[in-house]
């Protein structure tokens, strides 16, 4: 890792961390109490809350004021500004959890330099956790360095798979069965950005989602790269413009998992 990151990118990361912190506080203030979901369904189990729009608008306005030359893309508003550097936000990742007053959700803001993810902030305020990464300068959880897990034996590993109504049940069950055949402990937590962050921090040994979007992963991709995880070519295989498959894992489990679920790492 370089000890001297680009001043422009380092400044943007610090600014993004402050903006996302404030956005996360806004989300916490609007957080529904535990109970039945509060929001509306966009599609099967795909929730939208008032908070999604409020948080995205807050971040969009703050980043435009700070960096008017940068592009901006959000889950709710799409691509609203263009620039060689582009911010990509998921205002609430894990909305199904958020809408029920659960804790596993986050505000995710990534920075793209052209087609390359270079920095990211993932703030999970209900968990008291903030992930940050800058390409070439490390990945951190609450300011402490993180790295992918050292687990090598699939029978000792923990793998998460994201569920989506856009994926046929047969495909989901096929992949989940392959995971279980390895002897791993399967999980599904309802928040792709945090699952990828868990791979980066070593809390998970792998994560798979068959259809996921750029705003879900933009902040996590620098984390994974800096933490030494292996990742399937999500961006190359359609993730820049639409939903695509992602698999991230520690470098020991990655090849075994890739073979088992037929998701190549290259």
């Amino acid at each position: 890792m370089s000890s001297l990151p680009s001043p422009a990118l380092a400044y943007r990361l610090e600014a993004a961390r402050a903006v996302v912190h404030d956005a996360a506080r806004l989300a916490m203030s609007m957080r529904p109490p535990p109970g039945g979901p509060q929001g509306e369904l966009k599609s099967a189990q795909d929730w939208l809350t008032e908070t999604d729009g409020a948080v995205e608008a807050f971040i969009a306005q703050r980043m435009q004021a700070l960096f008017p030359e940068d592009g901006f893309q959000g889950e709710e508003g799409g691509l609203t500004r263009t620039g060689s550097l582009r911010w990509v936000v998921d205002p609430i990742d894990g909305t199904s959890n958020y809408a029920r007053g659960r804790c596993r959700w986050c505000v995710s803001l990534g920075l793209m330099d052209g087609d390359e993810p270079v920095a990211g902030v993932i703030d999970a305020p209900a968990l008291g956790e903030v992930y940050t990464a800058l390409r070439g300068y490390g990945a951190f959880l609450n300011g402490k360095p993180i790295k992918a897990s050292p687990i090598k034996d699939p029978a000792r590993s923990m793998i998460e798979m994201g569920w989506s109504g856009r994926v046929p049940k047969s495909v989901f069950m096929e992949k989940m069965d392959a995971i279980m055949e390895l002897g791993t402990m399967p999980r599904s937590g309802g928040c792709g950005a945090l699952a990828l962050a868990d791979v980066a921090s070593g809390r998970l040994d792998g994560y798979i989602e068959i259809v996921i979007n750029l705003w879900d992963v933009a902040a996590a991709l620098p984390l994974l790269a800096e933490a030494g995880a292996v990742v399937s070519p999500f961006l190359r295989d359609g993730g820049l413009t639409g939903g695509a498959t992602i698999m991230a894992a520690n470098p020991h489990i990655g090849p075994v998992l890739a073979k088992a679920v037929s998701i190549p790492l290259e």
Side-chain angles (χ1 to χ4, degrees), residues 17 130-132 139-147:
R17 180 158 52 182
V130 181
Y131 292 88
T132 56
F140 301 87
L141 168 56
N142 290 345
K144 296 181 179 180
I146 55 174
K147 60 181 180 180

Side-chain angles (χ1 to χ4, degrees), residues 163-175:
W163 181 90
S164 168
R166 294 177 289 178
V167 178
K169 178 183 175 182
S170 59
V171 174
F172 181 87
M173 296 306 295
E174 172 193 329
K175 304 300 184 189

Side-chain angles (χ1 to χ4, degrees), residues 9 12-13 16-17 19-20 59 63 67 70-75 79 81 84-91 93 106-123 131-135 193 213-223:
L9 293 181
R12 279 171 167 80
L13 178 61
R17 180 158 52 182
V19 170
V20 171
I59 293 175
M63 300 314 286
F67 307 109
D70 291 356
F72 191 87
Q73 178 179 359
E75 177 179 11
L79 184 64
R81 298 194 303 276
S84 58
L85 294 172
R86 171 169 46 108
W87 298 97
V88 183
V89 66
D90 190 337
D93 192 57
C106 63
V107 180
S108 173
L109 181 62
L111 180 62
M112 305 285 292
D113 184 355
D115 292 343
E116 180 186 4
V118 293
V121 179
I122 296 174
D123 194 325
Y131 292 88
T132 56
L134 181 62
R135 288 299 296 265
N213 292 294
L214 180 62
W215 49 80
D216 298 301
V217 308
L221 289 173
L223 276 171

